[in-house]
Amino acid sequence: MTTRQPRAVLALVSAAVFMAVLDDLAVTNALPGIAEELHVNVSGLQWVVAGYTLVLSATLLSGGAVGDRFGQRRAFL
């Protein structure tokens, strides 16, 4: 049985959550430009954020499953 290092796991999970939040922050900062280009109101911008978050989440979950099945190195390559 292997021993786990809880601090390392916490750091890794915190870094992953930070990257996801940072990605959403980039979309949030782009919202004024998106609204101007697409001529949408606030409810339209909510759809943009929801759609982006949904696609990002599906990609992350799929990438995790592929990494588990084929190995992280092969999935990344």
Side-chain angles (χ1 to χ4, degrees), residues 3-74:
T3 59
R4 301 200 182 246
Q5 299 173 346
R7 290 182 188 218
V9 173
L10 178 63
L12 184 64
V13 170
S14 296
V17 170
F18 174 74
M19 292 304 294
V21 170
L22 187 65
D23 200 38
D24 254 355
L25 181 65
V27 173
T28 303
N29 284 334
L31 285 179
I34 293 171
E36 206 173 289
E37 290 289 324
L38 298 178
H39 306 293
V40 294
N41 56 7
V42 174
S43 66
L45 292 176
Q46 288 175 335
W47 278 101
V48 169
V49 172
Y52 182 81
T53 304
L54 178 67
V55 171
L56 177 67
S57 301
T59 304
L60 288 174
L61 287 172
S62 302
V66 169
D68 287 344
R69 213 167 261 158
F70 301 113
Q72 285 81 18
R73 181 179 167 94
R74 285 183 54 194

